[in-house]
């Protein structure tokens, strides 16, 4: 009996020691693992698949240099949510339930991101937001309060985009009409844009209309903006829906300039609007510009992408340089992975609390879309000075060609 008790005690001690012992990964012998969910298929796959490709190139770049602290890094979980919030939630639960995942790159779009960001915050692992633009994703208590401790972002936050759009239209037009998608991104983006327009011009937009994503007829909203006497239409939303708006404007005889958020530069807009895209102006990260060769890390990414994937849909038509939208898709994934791995390096390992704390020690760190400097108050890579205005002009083949806006 005494021998049995001793054996039981010994077994209990052994189990306790085993539970307390650090895992192989915690000791620094395993790979550093990234988990990601995004729209890999479906009508918005330019976002998620672009991010995934950027992550893969970032991993190849880091691993070719010996990894992080002598450890290789991998994309251990990559799940498809098709930009649907419910699917993003299911995927994020699967990622966060996997203890081997060290850092997380979230979904694209504000809807899916808002659906998962609270659970990711509670979990505590370092998290990068590649594309969700609603300010509460990073700043739940307001942009004048500290950011979520474990979250950094490569997205064009709505208030940053609103400053660029508002500055552009308020100095050029008197009667500004606004349309926005009904998601969190569209609503907050429209509100912030209205505030910026009023601040700069002392007048409010003459009309503000909402529409649902994937709607195929927005003639009613356009007609109301037209009756309000708008001399310009500003749209906050995704490219596929903007293409519908552009065609509906033609049908309604509403011949005013169309100026958009970054969706107007996306592939779905150009493909959906065709030659009607000519004249559309949109704001976007200015890392990659038509006719200009990128430099620094942006060039490294472009060269690596072309070698791995070729000049495809994400690259664009210009053989010399990626299309402007490349920065928000492939560039976002590349920068998220690169910055999270830098936090692991600064933390000296993959301890969750230490990696999260190390985010605040990233300073003037070069990535494709700029130089990252993070503090408890500053968690955005993209700032207003990183944005430019672009315009579609008629090309030699009567097609829409994107150029830097000249007016």
């Amino acid at each position: 009996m005494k021998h049995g008790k001793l054996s039981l005690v010994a077994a209990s001690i052994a189990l306790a020691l085993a539970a307390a012992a650090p895992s192989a990964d915690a000791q620094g012998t395993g790979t550093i693992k990234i988990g990601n969910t995004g729209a890999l298929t479906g009508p918005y796959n330019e976002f998620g698949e672009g991010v995934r490709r950027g992550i893969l190139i970032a991993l190849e770049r880091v691993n070719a240099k010996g990894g992080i602290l002598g450890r290789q890094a991998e994309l251990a979980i990559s799940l498809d949510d098709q930009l649907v919030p419910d699917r993003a939630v299911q995927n994020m639960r699967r990622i966060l339930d996997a203890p081997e995942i060290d850092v997380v790159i979230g979904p694209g779009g504000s809807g899916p991101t808002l659906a998962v960001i609270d659970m990711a915050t509670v979990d505590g692992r370092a998290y990068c937001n590649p594309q969700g633009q609603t300010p509460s994703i990073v700043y739940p208590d307001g942009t004048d309060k500290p950011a979520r401790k474990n979250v950094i972002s490569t997205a064009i936050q709505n208030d940053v985009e609103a400053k660029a759009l508002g500055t552009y239209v308020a100095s050029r037009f008197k009667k500004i009409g606004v349309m926005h998608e009904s998601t969190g991104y569209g609503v907050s983006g429209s509100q912030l844009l209205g505030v910026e327009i009023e601040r700069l011009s002392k007048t409010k937009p003459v009309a503000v209309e909402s529409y649902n994503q994937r709607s195929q007829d927005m003639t009613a909203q356009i007609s109301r903006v037209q009756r309000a006497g708008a001399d310009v239409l500003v749209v906050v939303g995704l490219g596929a829906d903007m293409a519908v708006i552009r065609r509906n404007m033609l049908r309604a005889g509403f011949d005013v300039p169309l100026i958009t958020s970054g969706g107007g530069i996306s592939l779905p807009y150009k493909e959906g609007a065709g030659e009607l895209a000519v004249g559309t102006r949109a704001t976007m990260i200015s890392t990659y510009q038509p006719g200009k060769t990128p430099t620094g890390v942006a060039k490294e990414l472009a060269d690596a992408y072309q070698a791995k994937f070729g000049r495809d849909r994400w690259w664009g038509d210009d053989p010399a340089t990626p299309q402007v939208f490349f920065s928000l898709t492939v560039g976002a994934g590349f920068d998220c992975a690169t910055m999270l791995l830098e936090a692991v390096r600064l933390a000296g390992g993959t301890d969750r609390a230490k990696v999260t704390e190390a985010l605040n020690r990233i300073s003037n760190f070069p990535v494709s879309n700029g130089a990252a400097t993070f503090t408890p108050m500053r968690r955005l890579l993209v700032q207003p000075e990183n944005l430019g205005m672009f315009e579609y002009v008629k090309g030699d083949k009567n097609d829409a060609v994107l150029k830097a806006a000249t007016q």
Side-chain angles (χ1 to χ4, degrees):
M1 184 63 115
K2 184 182 290 186
H3 177 76
K5 288 183 178 179
L6 289 173
S7 298
L8 184 59
V9 170
S12 298
I13 292 172
L15 286 171
L17 289 172
S23 66
D25 282 0
Q27 295 181 49
T29 58
T31 58
I32 300 167
K33 296 178 173 60
I34 297 176
N36 168 241
T37 178
L40 306 181
T41 63
Y44 302 114
N45 83 311
E46 74 273 10
F47 294 103
E49 176 60 17
V51 166
R52 187 188 73 87
R53 293 180 180 207
I55 295 170
L56 294 178
I57 293 173
L59 293 173
E60 290 181 359
R61 179 174 179 259
V62 164
N63 290 337
K65 296 178 180 179
I68 300 295
L69 305 172
R71 298 166 63 181
Q72 296 287 283
E74 66 169 317
L75 180 58
I77 297 180
S78 178
L79 303 174
D80 181 18
D81 57 44
Q82 293 193 338
L83 210 69
V84 176
D86 287 347
R87 292 185 182 182
V89 169
Q90 294 170 3
N91 291 351
M92 187 58 65
R93 284 175 177 160
R94 180 175 165 186
I95 291 168
L96 299 181
D97 283 346
E100 69 273 15
I101 296 299
D102 297 305
V103 293
V104 178
I105 298 175
S110 289
T113 307
L114 288 168
V116 306
I117 194 62
D118 285 340
M119 71 170 76
T121 301
V122 171
D123 173 82
R125 271 171 277 196
Y127 176 107
C128 186
N129 164 47
Q131 295 156 339
Q133 295 182 247
T134 303
S136 61
I137 291 169
V138 180
Y139 298 98
D141 301 316
T143 55
D144 60 338
K145 302 293 191 303
R148 297 176 192 265
K149 291 182 178 180
N150 63 321
V151 176
I152 57 176
S153 178
T154 61
I156 308 173
Q157 190 164 278
N158 273 351
D159 54 337
V160 174
E161 186 171 64
K163 287 180 181 178
L165 278 174
T167 299
Y168 188 83
V169 299
S171 63
R172 291 167 172 80
F173 302 96
K174 300 297 184 183
K175 297 181 177 181
I176 301 168
V178 177
M179 288 181 62
H180 64 88
E181 61 180 47
S182 58
T183 63
Y185 159 58
V187 172
S188 62
S190 172
Q191 291 172 344
L192 289 164
L193 176 61
V195 169
E196 193 67 17
I197 290 171
E198 186 171 4
R199 182 183 72 84
L200 294 168
S201 66
K202 310 305 179 187
T203 59
K204 296 181 179 181
V206 297
V208 178
E209 293 289 334
S210 175
Y211 61 87
N212 295 325
Q213 283 184 349
R214 305 189 191 190
S215 174
Q216 294 304 302
D217 188 354
M218 305 176 202
T219 308
Q221 294 97 318
I222 290 170
S223 295
R224 287 192 288 270
V225 176
Q226 186 177 22
R227 288 197 299 271
D231 59 2
V232 64
L233 177 60
V234 183
V235 180
V236 179
L238 299 181
D241 299 323
M242 290 177 182
V244 175
I245 290 172
R246 185 66 191 90
R247 294 196 300 269
N248 288 173
M249 287 175 69
L250 179 67
R251 183 186 308 162
F254 190 32
D255 186 18
V256 299
L258 175 62
I259 298 177
T260 77
S261 59
I265 290 176
S266 68
L267 294 168
Y269 178 70
K270 182 178 179 181
E271 293 168 351
E275 63 182 23
L276 292 178
V278 172
T280 303
R281 280 164 268 174
T283 186
M284 178 48 63
I285 302 168
S286 58
T287 300
Y288 299 99
Q289 299 189 35
K292 291 187 177 181
T293 302
T295 60
V297 179
K299 186 177 188 306
E300 289 184 44
L301 171 58
D303 291 345
Y305 187 91
Q306 189 170 192
K308 185 175 181 64
F309 296 107
R311 299 168 187 164
D312 60 3
R313 186 168 179 261
W314 281 265
W315 176 279
D317 300 327
D318 188 341
T321 186
Q323 62 188 317
V324 176
F325 202 66
F326 187 87
S327 62
L328 195 64
T329 55
V330 178
F334 176 89
D335 289 352
C336 270
T338 301
M339 295 187 301
L340 289 173
L341 292 174
E342 173 64 3
V344 171
R345 186 190 71 80
L346 291 172
T350 51
D351 179 87
R352 294 183 186 180
K354 290 181 180 179
V355 174
T356 293
E357 182 277 329
L359 294 173
N360 290 324
R361 290 190 276 127
I362 294 177
S363 179
N364 201 32
F365 180 65
V367 289
S368 72
N369 285 324
T373 295
F374 298 132
T375 69
M377 291 293 298
R378 175 181 168 132
R379 289 299 182 82
L380 306 180
L381 171 65
V382 177
Q383 301 294 322
E385 60 267 24
N386 299 119
L387 302 183
M389 186 64 68
F390 298 88
E391 180 179 9
Y392 285 103
V393 300
K394 184 175 290 188
D396 295 336
K397 300 178 181 178
N398 290 325
D399 54 344
V401 177
L402 197 64
K403 300 289 185 184
T406 57
Q407 59 176 343

